[in-house]
Amino acid sequence: MTSEDFIPARLRRLWGRSESSRLGRPATLDVNQVVTASVEIADRDGLGGVTLPKVAKSLGFTGMSLYRYVGSKDELLELMADAALGAPPDILTEDWRAGLRSWAFEQRAVFRSRPWLTRVPTAGPPSGPNQIAWMEVGLVVLSRTRLDWAHKVGVLTLISGYVVQSVRQHSDLAEGRAEGQGQADAERDYGRALVRLVEPARFPEAARLFSSTLFEAPPSSTPDATIADADFTLGLDLILDGVAVRVEHPGS
């Protein structure tokens, strides 16, 4: 028994360690071709547009033939997610907070360019080479702290989850807005409507919120990207403030 026998087939394919046909016949395709075609479809049609028959047709094959190269639709999604994530950038800073901020914004840029990535089901911890590469960069940043491994993994998981949820929520809200309506206008209309519906006697704090100037603040001419950046930065800073406390007191 070799060391390869301890590696599940899906992980061997994810890491490019298994290129042969599962049925023993000469391969006319390879996993990379299948994944590349699938990513192209997702970029064009969204994740819902990726089906084995559609991928196979784009390659000139039948849907069943793809099972020679990927074990299942779930495995294909895992392969796609890692390939689409791509390699991380180098983060050259000695400041852990600045490093994590850059790490988060770089991830966000990838997910915003391919929002379908936020829809890929999470079936387990990071396993692909690109996912591990991103983890490596984050761990290097955190190596300048005294946090233990559990805390380092927890910090990276928390920030990655925040990035995914933030991009997904922003995309959902944009799709739900009326055609041509910007985020600032949508927030203004939301606040003006709720201030008339939320009764102070029943929801005193919520009533105070909607009576404030929060939803009137951004002028309608403010670009959506600027508002989204501000919202994302606020949430990220709150997370990093919490991380800072644990960095200062790692044993607490």
Side-chain angles (χ1 to χ4, degrees):
M1 183 176 289
T2 68
S3 60
E4 292 289 314
D5 294 325
F6 293 96
I7 304 175
R10 69 172 187 82
L11 287 182
R12 289 202 300 271
R13 286 189 285 270
L14 192 56
W15 285 79
R17 301 282 281 273
S18 176
E19 294 295 332
S20 60
S21 164
R22 298 198 306 158
L23 299 182
R25 296 194 294 271
T28 52
L29 276 177
D30 61 36
V31 174
N32 287 335
Q33 288 175 287
V34 175
V35 172
T36 298
S38 302
V39 169
E40 289 175 354
I41 292 173
D43 285 343
R44 185 182 67 242
D45 303 330
L47 193 61
V50 179
T51 65
L52 291 177
K54 184 180 289 187
V55 174
K57 183 178 180 180
S58 73
L59 293 166
F61 290 83
T62 64
M64 290 301 297
S65 66
L66 295 191
Y67 286 107
R68 298 177 63 191
Y69 308 97
V70 295
S72 65
K73 173 70 177 294
D74 289 341
E75 182 184 328
L76 177 60
L77 293 178
E78 184 178 26
L79 289 162
M80 289 171 57
D82 193 71
L85 181 62
D90 293 327
I91 296 180
L92 306 176
T93 177
E94 296 298 317
D95 183 336
W96 69 262
R97 184 170 184 135
L100 288 182
R101 177 187 288 272
S102 295
W103 191 76
F105 269 92
E106 293 288 352
Q107 278 195 56
R108 178 173 177 252
V110 174
F111 287 122
R112 290 182 74 178
S113 69
R114 284 178 159 148
W116 61 265
L117 274 170
T118 67
R119 309 289 175 173
V120 177
T122 302
S127 301
N130 285 325
Q131 291 174 323
I132 298 302
W134 279 88
M135 178 187 289
E136 174 68 15
V137 171
L139 290 173
V140 169
V141 170
L142 288 171
S143 69
R144 292 146 198 160
T145 72
R146 294 178 295 153
L147 295 177
D148 60 25
W149 289 118
H151 282 86
K152 289 175 183 177
V153 171
V155 168
L156 298 184
T157 300
L158 177 63
I159 293 176
S160 291
Y162 171 68
V163 172
V164 169
Q165 179 59 29
S166 175
V167 172
R168 182 169 182 169
Q169 183 180 59
H170 179 75
S171 177
D172 287 345
L173 290 174
E175 289 180 5
R177 291 198 291 268
E179 185 176 354
Q181 184 182 44
Q183 183 173 343
D185 291 333
E187 291 183 0
R188 181 203 61 211
D189 293 348
Y190 168 73
R192 290 179 179 179
L194 268 293
V195 76
R196 291 170 171 78
L197 294 170
V198 177
E199 300 173 1
R202 185 179 181 186
F203 305 109
E205 291 303 311
R208 291 181 61 197
L209 166 66
F210 292 112
S211 296
S212 73
T213 60
L214 176 64
F215 299 104
E216 297 284 345
S220 58
S221 59
T222 302
D224 286 357
T226 301
I227 300 173
D229 286 347
D231 291 343
F232 180 78
T233 300
L234 174 61
L236 181 60
D237 281 342
L238 291 173
I239 292 173
L240 294 178
D241 286 346
V243 175
V245 174
R246 189 51 58 96
V247 168
E248 290 297 319
H249 307 283
S252 61

